[in-house]
Amino acid sequence: MRPTLLAIALLSTASLALAEPPQPAKGGIVWETSFDAAKTKAAGEGKLLFVEFLTDG
Amino acid sequence: METDTWPRDEVKTFLADKVCVKVNPGKGPDQKKRMDEFGVKAVPAMILISPEGKELVRAAGKPAPGTFTSYFVNQRWNDMIAAEKAQDWKATAEHAFILTTWFPGTEAAQRAESMIAAHGEDPTFKAALEAAKTANERAILLGKANLLLQDKKKAEAIDAFKAVIAAHPDSKEAEAAKAALKKLGVKLDAPGKK
């Protein structure tokens, strides 16, 4: 029984994973260093530009 | 954000298909100018911008960890529901386009698809949806040309700018493409001239 249950669990996990849209960035979020270059890159690649306004500390 | 938001898997997933950049007004006048340009009065703040350069969603402050993704998607979802309630079909279509295009796989996008199916034959809704799609395509086409130029692929960029003009001759993107070509020293044939 256990192997069967394990197989079902694995299949369910696989189905959920396939249903997910973009996959997580494995190494974390990539931050561009120049706003203008990032804006051009986003538009050229047909992506959204995410801007975080922040201060240090 | 560094410790409780960015490391979260759902946040990394949400940002994986986006280009991310930080603006820190404490790091020089150009950064402060950028903040003023977007009318950001206080930090932290976050904005999502479309390839057209339109602000899609803004977070003033810091969303609670665990609500980051829904914070952005729900704003548009709420806007779409309010527009539908007001029977503003143009706005409803625009919000539906944004949800289905930029937040695919979310429950809000699925419900926006249903909205499109329900109202897709309304002339105002249909025209607005089509206009949103075309505007996005034009912006990406021009964006590709600009990106080629940024990557110093001049010959390919020239072809790409010409493609923008050929595909959408009466658009603001065509005007921008013409200006870029002029800056590159490319002369365009006069209209009607072979």
Side-chain angles (χ1 to χ4, degrees), chain B residues 164-183:
Chain B
V164 174
I165 298 165
H168 306 283
D170 300 320
S171 65
K172 65 177 187 324
E173 285 80 6
E175 291 307 313
K178 284 176 194 171
L181 287 171
K182 193 177 173 187
K183 212 172 169 182

Side-chain angles (χ1 to χ4, degrees), chain B:
Chain B
M1 298 297 284
E2 298 299 332
T3 53
D4 61 6
T5 302
W6 304 140
R8 297 179 74 98
D9 279 347
E10 76 274 15
V11 175
K12 285 193 269 187
T13 300
F14 182 72
L15 294 177
D17 61 351
K18 295 166 185 66
V19 177
C20 304
V21 68
K22 292 173 190 276
V23 172
N24 186 336
K27 286 192 173 174
D30 58 322
Q31 301 266 304
K32 175 72 174 67
K33 194 179 158 191
R34 195 72 70 190
M35 194 171 153
D36 295 340
E37 191 184 305
F38 284 96
V40 174
K41 304 288 182 201
V43 292
M46 284 152 269
I47 300 180
L48 277 172
I49 300 166
S50 75
E52 284 179 79
K54 281 186 183 173
E55 179 179 325
L56 297 185
V57 193
R58 174 181 295 222
K62 178 185 163 185
T67 65
F68 183 87
T69 303
S70 58
Y71 185 94
F72 286 97
V73 177
N74 287 353
Q75 277 192 43
R76 275 296 171 175
W77 168 251
N78 291 335
D79 289 345
M80 185 176 74
I81 295 301
E84 189 199 25
K85 207 171 177 183
Q87 298 194 336
D88 181 345
W89 302 125
K90 182 174 180 289
T92 307
E94 288 167 355
H95 294 308
F97 171 78
I98 288 166
L99 285 167
T100 53
T101 305
W102 301 119
F103 306 114
T106 61
E107 191 187 341
Q110 286 168 13
R111 293 171 75 177
E113 289 284 3
S114 305
M115 193 81 82
I116 291 170
H119 302 293
E121 291 310 312
D122 177 273
T124 307
F125 188 101
K126 200 174 180 178
L129 190 65
E130 200 51 46
K133 281 180 189 171
T134 312
N136 186 53
E137 284 165 13
R138 284 200 310 264
I140 293 172
L141 204 56
L142 178 66
K144 279 179 183 170
N146 282 324
L147 184 56
L148 286 165
L149 194 60
Q150 181 169 283
D151 292 342
K152 302 191 190 311
K153 295 173 180 172
K154 189 179 168 183
E156 290 170 60
I158 289 170
D159 288 344
F161 282 124
K162 285 180 177 175
V164 174
I165 298 165
H168 306 283
D170 300 320
S171 65
K172 65 177 187 324
E173 285 80 6
E175 291 307 313
K178 284 176 194 171
L181 287 171
K182 193 177 173 187
K183 212 172 169 182
L184 290 167
V186 178
K187 285 185 181 174
L188 291 169
D189 291 337
K193 197 177 168 184
K194 284 190 178 177

Side-chain angles (χ1 to χ4, degrees), chain A residues 3 7-9 15 17 19-20 22 25 28 34 38 42 45-46 49 52 55 57:
Chain A
I8 290 168
S15 306
E20 292 243 331
S34 154
E45 293 180 355
L49 177 67
E52 184 198 11
T55 50

Side-chain angles (χ1 to χ4, degrees), chain A residues 16-40:
Chain A
L16 285 172
L18 285 171
E20 292 243 331
Q23 293 304 300
K26 283 178 186 168
I29 300 159
V30 177
W31 296 96
E32 300 291 328
T33 52
S34 154
F35 180 89
D36 288 327
K39 192 178 175 188
T40 303

